[in-house]
Amino acid sequence: MRAAGEPVRARGGGVELPMKLENAHPEPPLEFAVATEKEFEEILAMSKGIYGGLDYLPSRYHSWIREPNRTVVLAKKNGAVIGLQSVYIVDAGETVLVEGLRVAPWERGKGVAGLLQRFCLEMVKEKHPAVKVSRLTRDDKLGPKDFVKYRVVTKQGILLVRFNAQELLSRLDITVLALEEGGFCPAPSELLVGGEVAEIILRESFRCEVLPNQTIIQDWQPFKATASNLGLLQKKELCWVVDKKSRPTVATLSTRPFPIPLGKDWFYLNIDVFGRTLAHVKSQLIHHLRLQVPGLQGSVMCQLFLEPALWLDMAEFCQVGLGLELAKDYTEQYLLESDV
């Protein structure tokens, strides 16, 4: 392995690429390598406490390093892992998704992230010359420099609630019945199966009227609504729910719950909301809870990404109507892009 500033050969997808990146700060030297199974424990240790215990990487790492069109790059110093970033090629080869960026706490503030990002960008340019745009999602506050560096494609409110899976299941039907007696009228909701997903999602009316900027954001990952991207999404265990299959006005997408480092028997459930009709969003949330929570033993952090204007009403519905606990105040998810 060579140090930053020297030729580096990065392997990804079976292709060997000569790479060179000049380092303005050669001491101490950084090395860049494609991630393998053997670094997993080092990465877990480096990532301890990240994202408030909601880190997705422990559950995805093993699939990420085998995923076609994805390269997970490590930054190392003296042979030890001190940084990580993933690059994933989507949109039929025209877009790179930048994900998972992290630097060991003891190495932050030393320019490691910038060097790692530069290396990954140069690697993408050589290996995937058709890539035109880089995209990423963030949930921190944007500053003036960010608006110079990136274009904001869209933003969504983040609603984070928590509950015990079995306790919620034991009372969910009774809770919904009480809501109906209090005037709540469940709106129709339909689960998409098989070829219905592509048939509906690729409709021009759906892309233009329902999706934010014609983009599917699935658990922090943005995809243009294209056939090639749906092929990638259909490899995952996803649940699509709409208000009506004939012409949806609201669609929601949930990802199968997975364990998180927050503690023993903690799971993360992600629900992405597309559309603005509050009644449909409420009903589809209940639909997803009935689909995804059975079989879970333990506690769940459930994160909804939705139109910012819906946040307050949905937060009240989750707490007062469904008896869920609000885990965090209002924050926002930004989808950003820049030219490569």
Side-chain angles (χ1 to χ4, degrees):
M1 188 64 61
R2 298 176 182 263
E6 299 178 350
V8 179
R9 306 190 77 84
R11 290 185 177 273
V15 179
E16 187 175 16
L17 296 172
M19 298 295 302
K20 186 175 181 180
L21 182 66
E22 295 300 327
N23 185 352
H25 307 283
E27 295 296 338
L30 292 182
E31 301 169 334
F32 299 97
V34 174
T36 66
E37 293 282 0
K38 68 181 182 180
E39 290 97 1
F40 180 62
E41 294 300 329
E42 267 192 281
I43 292 165
L44 287 188
M46 178 192 75
S47 304
K48 188 174 182 180
I50 196 171
Y51 303 140
L54 302 183
D55 190 15
Y56 53 79
L57 191 60
S59 291
R60 295 182 185 170
Y61 181 82
H62 302 291
S63 61
W64 270 18
I65 62 176
R66 294 176 174 81
E67 194 168 11
N69 295 324
R70 181 188 293 277
T71 306
V72 181
V73 179
L74 304 177
K76 296 185 176 184
K77 186 166 74 173
N78 297 325
V81 177
I82 62 167
L84 175 148
Q85 181 171 275
S86 166
V87 290
Y88 185 34
I89 308 302
V90 298
D91 299 343
E94 294 187 352
T95 302
V96 57
L97 299 188
V98 178
E99 301 178 273
L101 177 64
R102 61 199 59 205
V103 173
W106 57 90
E107 294 290 343
R108 293 173 188 166
K110 301 179 182 180
V112 174
L115 287 170
L116 180 55
Q117 289 172 313
R118 285 172 55 199
F119 177 84
C120 290
L121 182 59
E122 294 301 318
M123 183 186 69
V124 167
K125 286 180 179 179
E126 287 207 25
K127 187 179 175 183
H128 303 280
V131 168
K132 301 175 183 177
V133 172
S134 172
R135 280 187 163 189
L136 69 155
T137 48
R138 282 175 42 177
D139 66 348
D140 52 342
K141 294 289 185 181
L142 299 182
K145 292 182 179 179
D146 295 312
F147 290 105
V148 173
K149 185 176 180 180
Y150 301 110
R151 297 182 294 272
V152 178
V153 179
T154 189
K155 73 174 182 179
Q156 299 189 106
I158 304 175
L159 175 57
L160 181 65
V161 295
R162 58 185 164 224
F163 55 86
N164 178 274
Q166 293 304 307
E167 188 275 334
L168 176 62
L169 281 178
S170 69
R171 62 173 177 79
L172 186 56
D173 288 342
I174 296 174
T175 298
V176 173
L177 182 60
L179 286 170
E180 292 176 5
E181 291 174 348
F184 172 67
C185 182
S189 62
E190 299 182 271
L191 177 67
L192 302 186
V193 295
E196 292 176 340
V197 174
E199 193 276 323
I200 290 173
I201 305 308
L202 295 179
R203 290 177 191 166
E204 183 176 2
S205 59
F206 183 87
R207 290 187 287 109
C208 295
E209 297 170 11
V210 180
L211 295 178
N213 216 331
Q214 301 192 42
T215 301
I216 301 165
I217 306 177
Q218 183 266 320
D219 196 7
W220 295 93
Q221 294 183 319
F223 299 87
K224 292 180 181 178
T226 65
S228 64
N229 284 339
L230 279 183
L232 298 175
L233 288 171
Q234 286 174 339
K235 296 176 182 178
K236 306 180 182 185
E237 297 178 275
L238 306 178
C239 292
W240 282 92
V241 174
V242 298
D243 54 329
K244 52 184 176 182
K245 295 178 182 179
S246 58
R247 192 180 180 96
T249 60
V250 172
T252 47
L253 171 62
S254 64
T255 305
R256 183 178 180 181
F258 56 83
I260 51 176
L262 187 60
K264 187 176 184 297
D265 296 328
W266 274 94
F267 294 87
Y268 173 82
L269 170 60
N270 186 94
I271 303 175
D272 296 290
V273 178
F274 312 111
R276 298 176 175 84
T277 306
L278 182 63
H280 289 307
V281 176
K282 290 179 178 179
S283 296
Q284 290 184 32
L285 169 59
I286 294 170
H287 196 147
H288 283 288
L289 292 174
R290 285 178 165 149
L291 288 170
Q292 299 287 13
V293 176
L296 294 181
Q297 298 287 338
S299 299
V300 178
M301 280 288 193
C302 179
Q303 196 155 230
L304 290 87
F305 298 87
L306 70 175
E307 180 73 21
L310 297 177
W311 194 94
L312 277 175
D313 286 328
M314 283 302 297
E316 181 181 14
F317 179 72
C318 287
Q319 294 175 91
V320 179
L322 297 178
L324 312 181
E325 182 182 355
L326 185 66
K328 193 174 183 180
D329 290 334
Y330 178 82
T331 54
E332 290 179 325
Q333 177 197 65
Y334 293 90
L335 171 55
L336 309 174
E337 71 175 18
S338 61
D339 296 324
V340 172

